[in-house]
Each structure stands twice: as structure tokens, then as C-alpha cells.
Amino acid sequence: MSSWVQIPKNSDFTLYNLPFGIFKSKRLSPRAGIAIGDKIVDLSVLHDEGFFSDITLLPEGIFLGDSLNSFIGLGKQVTRKIRERVQDLLTEEQEKLREHQSRGKAMVNRKEAQMLLPVKIGDYTDFYSSIEHATNVGTMFRDPDNALLPNWRHLPVGYHGRASSIIPSGIPIHRPKGQFKDPDMEKPEFGPSRRLDFELELAFVTGKSTKMGDSISTEDAEDYIFGFVLFNDWSARDIQAWEYVPLGPFLAKNFASSISPWIVTLEALEHFRVENPKQEPEVLPYLKCKKDHGFDINLEVYIQPADKKATKVCTSNFKHMYWNIAQQLAHQTSNGCNINIGDLYASGTISGKSPDSYGSMLELSWKGTKPVVLEEGGERKFIEDGDTVIMTGYCEKGDIRVGFGEVSSQVLPAK
């Protein structure tokens, strides 16, 4: 497919993608849009001009507001039609929007827009689904011969995180403070984290709600998943090591998590569906899948010190994940836990088999024993004040490219 909109070479936002987001500008209040090249299609303008008049169930003002929740809640039958209609309007052969008097109003320059959180996130779950990451962590902190805990190959491990501190790309964070106690310390101390880390993750957004007591099968799970965002699960490793026993992550994680602003739909990722890694031993019946739920998504992480060039420190891929999205959602709801529109479910750190594919500084520097060398001099064991961490993601197959943009955030000193 080709478009009458000029799309830069290697753009993440091609005609095959068309992700949804919420934006505002100096002249526009928050509203829903679709990204195409360097432009944003203002969906409220298309709605007002009658481009969606034959699509039922679209209330007035559905595209105006600070979240996509109400729109997503209309169901995939509607959201898919909107995406397909915009795709048709943007194709090279189609003149309806290209020649329309409101074209200038409908096409907003992305550089003039401020991106907001795409959804109101009521709940957030963080999984631990990369066998390479879990093995690396278990090797570092426990017995290398028994790196995985006994339950790890039997269920998608996860915990309930803090939704209030999830922020969109571009918002800086302050170095967190907390308690820590190194092995050589007689007693714990309180202060700024000395081992601040990123975690390379993807997260899916749910588009349907359930009632308490209901469960979702692996077969039906994708009906409840609207799309994906990039996710940086910031982590304070020294605080985490001291506090996580016996209940798991708390202050080491809840100070901030950063997400990319554009939700890439499952429909856009269909070209890149791949087989999941083989699971041994065989999973229980409620976790078995009749089709593949893996996706070939290339992922990269860069560290950019203040006023210096960025260094690529990680190249990974979402296809490595041991537990897939259908299994994650089936397990989350297997006890009758209800879910809501806009809930976020992060994958856990995405690490591959090679050292350059490890999705955290904890692994890349192997707990600080192997510093990562930066392009313009210096090295990093963990993230320092002034550093910006940038994560990108994209899929490619032949001439088809679908990308996520980036999630980027700078670390400021502790308050």
C-alpha cells in the first residue's frame, strides 16, 4: 500500500500501522488521533465532517477527551472499522480526504502536538515472562544450577503494580529514595538509589471488561486485548534487593514506569505473528493455546548522557517470551479476577540469549561487574543522573513496517 501522505523512509507510522493515541496542542484540547508518517489524523474532525457517518454506535464527542477508554469500549467491531476507514482515506488512490476542504484541519503536524497517556489506567500487572531474564537473575542472586524457582515453568509469574505513577514518554523522573542494605553493611540506610535500572518491556492494553468471577480462556484472550505500547519498568535494584522478601517489589518499582504514547493494535501486528518457544513441562489445560500468540518485534535500548551521543546498549526481540499474552491474561483471570478497559499488562523484562540482548543494566553489566562502555567515553554499571533512556520497537517483513515510536525519559537527581 502507498499513501498520498508523505511518509519518511523507515517511519514507524506507515499505512500498515495506524496506531491510536491522545494528543493536544496550543490550539487543540485533548483528543484522539491516528499517527501516519509525521502527521496525526484528528479523528474528531473526520467524525464531524461525516467520514464515519455509516459506522453505527459512534456517539457525539467520542474522540474528544483525555483518554481512549470510551472509544476502545465500543468494541473491536467499531475500532477496527475506524482504523480501516482511515487506512482507506489515506491510500494514494483515495481523494475524499486529500481533496476535502477540512484536510488541513484534520492533518496535524506531530512535532506541534503533545502526546498524553493514551488510556486511563485503573490497574496494572507486571509479569516475569522471559525465561532468559529469570534465569539470569536467578543465577546472579541464587543457585546457578537452580536459577528458576519451582513454579516458574508452570505459571506466568506476576504482581500487581502501581498505576498512578505510569507516565507518558518525555516526562523526566527523579531518582527514587528508599532503604537498602548491602551484604557488607551492618544495618540498612535510607537515601537515593545507587543502582537505578531500566527494564525493557512491552505492555498490552485491555479493551473489554469482565465481571468478578468470570475467567478468560487462552482462545478468547485476544478478543480482550486492544493493542501494545513500549514499557520501561524503572527499577531501583538496591532497594529491591532489601525489600522484596517476602512480598516482592514495592518502593523499588512504584516510583515511575514510562510508556510510549501510541497503541499499536493487534490487527497491525498480524503480519508478524510467530510461534512461541516450546514450553516444558507441558502446561496445565487452562494455559494451553490452540494458535500462536508470539510476535516478531525488534527492540532496542539506548542510553544518552546529558549533552552527549546516545549509545545502543541492547538489541532484543519480543518473540523470545516464554509466556505469551493469551496465557498471561488467562492466568490473571483464572481465579475470577475482573478486568477493565484500559488496564495495562506488562511483559516483564525482555531478554534474549546473547549478552547484548539482555533487557536491563542488571544483566548487561552483570550486577555491576562488567560495566557497559559508552560511545563518547565513560561507562555505566547502572543509570546515572542526567541520563536519558530511550527504547524503540518495530516490526519488518518485506516492504511492511510497523513501529511503536519510542519511550524516552531522563533521570533527574533525587528530590
Side-chain angles (χ1 to χ4, degrees):
M1 292 186 294
S2 57
S3 174
W4 52 263
V5 179
Q6 186 173 2
I7 300 175
K9 186 178 181 180
N10 294 326
S11 172
D12 282 348
F13 306 124
T14 65
L15 204 53
Y16 294 97
N17 191 356
L18 304 182
F20 292 87
I22 294 290
F23 73 98
K24 69 176 183 179
S25 69
K26 290 182 179 179
R27 62 182 183 85
L28 298 174
S29 60
R31 60 196 55 217
I34 282 180
I36 178 73
D38 293 331
K39 302 287 187 180
I40 299 174
V41 180
D42 187 334
L43 294 176
S44 68
V45 172
L46 298 192
H47 190 24
D48 291 344
E49 295 295 333
F51 286 100
F52 306 141
S53 59
D54 60 326
I55 300 176
T56 58
L57 302 177
L58 274 182
E60 286 299 317
I62 188 65
F63 297 114
L64 296 174
D66 59 1
S67 84
L68 290 168
N69 293 49
S70 296
F71 171 63
I72 293 173
L74 296 176
K76 285 195 176 186
Q77 186 177 358
V78 175
T79 60
R80 189 181 290 118
K81 285 181 180 179
I82 294 296
R83 180 177 170 274
E84 290 173 350
R85 177 61 51 81
V86 172
Q87 189 176 57
D88 179 63
L89 289 170
L90 296 176
T91 55
E92 193 169 29
E93 301 78 19
Q94 179 61 264
E95 297 182 352
K96 287 184 179 179
L97 179 57
R98 181 175 57 187
E99 305 297 333
H100 199 275
Q101 60 181 5
S102 66
R103 169 185 163 180
K105 189 177 178 183
M107 306 298 290
V108 178
N109 291 324
R110 273 203 297 125
K111 64 181 181 181
E112 298 175 3
Q114 178 186 346
M115 300 306 300
L116 309 177
L117 280 176
V119 289
K120 289 183 179 177
I121 305 164
D123 278 296
Y124 150 55
T125 296
D126 190 25
F127 287 99
Y128 190 51
S129 294
S130 163
I131 195 167
E132 289 82 10
H133 174 66
T135 300
N136 288 339
V137 173
T139 298
M140 275 187 268
F141 290 97
R142 290 190 298 273
D143 178 6
D145 294 327
N146 295 283
L148 297 178
L149 290 171
N151 66 348
W152 200 92
R153 288 180 181 270
H154 293 276
L155 57 85
V157 175
Y159 75 95
H160 186 236
R162 183 75 182 177
S164 65
S165 52
I166 297 176
I167 55 175
S169 178
I171 304 297
I173 68 166
H174 286 274
R175 180 173 297 273
K177 293 181 287 188
Q179 278 195 33
F180 45 82
K181 182 182 181 299
D182 296 341
D184 60 350
M185 294 169 59
E186 290 187 10
K187 59 182 179 180
E189 296 180 6
F190 179 86
S193 170
R194 303 150 304 157
R195 301 187 188 108
L196 182 61
D197 201 357
F198 64 80
E199 288 192 347
L200 170 63
E201 306 190 21
L202 280 170
F204 66 81
V205 178
T206 46
K208 291 171 66 175
S209 300
T210 62
K211 296 179 180 178
M212 286 183 64
D214 291 344
S215 299
I216 299 172
S217 69
T218 57
E219 190 173 356
D220 294 335
E222 288 195 9
D223 292 338
Y224 290 81
I225 297 173
F226 179 69
F228 284 94
V229 293
L230 295 168
F231 191 87
N232 183 354
D233 182 23
W234 293 102
S235 301
R237 299 301 186 186
D238 45 356
I239 298 171
Q240 183 178 3
W242 174 237
E243 75 175 3
Y244 86 99
V245 177
L247 289 181
F250 186 32
L251 301 186
K253 298 275 194 178
N254 68 4
F255 60 94
S257 299
S258 303
I259 70 171
S260 55
W262 294 104
I263 302 179
V264 177
T265 63
L266 278 184
E267 290 82 11
L269 296 172
E270 190 59 42
H271 291 288
F272 311 100
R273 190 181 293 272
V274 293
E275 186 178 357
N276 287 111
K278 186 176 181 180
Q279 295 178 323
E280 294 179 332
E282 187 177 10
V283 299
L284 293 174
Y286 79 101
L287 291 172
K288 290 182 179 179
C289 298
K290 294 183 178 180
K291 73 173 188 176
D292 295 321
H293 298 279
F295 297 93
D296 184 3
I297 303 173
N298 301 294
L299 300 164
E300 298 175 340
V301 183
Y302 299 79
I303 296 176
Q304 183 174 14
D307 302 319
K308 289 189 177 181
K309 186 179 179 181
T311 299
K312 188 198 304 187
V313 297
C314 167
T315 302
S316 192
N317 196 296
F318 189 59
K319 67 184 179 184
H320 298 312
M321 301 304 287
Y322 186 87
W323 294 104
N324 65 54
I325 57 174
Q327 291 172 321
Q328 290 170 345
L329 193 56
H331 185 66
Q332 165 97 26
T333 61
S334 61
N335 66 344
C337 171
N338 57 313
I339 68 169
N340 291 302
I341 296 165
D343 286 354
L344 203 65
Y345 301 81
S347 61
T349 305
I350 304 167
S351 293
K353 297 183 184 300
S354 61
D356 64 348
S357 68
Y358 296 163
S360 67
M361 288 301 293
L362 177 67
E363 298 164 272
L364 290 166
S365 72
W366 207 255
K367 209 167 60 170
T369 62
K370 300 176 181 179
V372 175
V373 178
L374 302 180
E375 284 193 23
E376 293 194 352
E379 59 185 28
R380 290 291 184 274
K381 297 178 180 178
F382 291 95
I383 304 303
E384 297 184 4
D385 291 347
D387 288 349
T388 297
V389 175
I390 305 162
M391 297 178 177
T392 65
Y394 66 94
C395 313
E396 271 187 332
K397 181 181 287 187
D399 294 331
I400 301 175
R401 182 182 171 103
V402 170
F404 291 76
E406 68 176 35
V407 55
S408 170
S409 188
Q410 185 180 37
V411 174
L412 305 178
K415 284 188 175 182

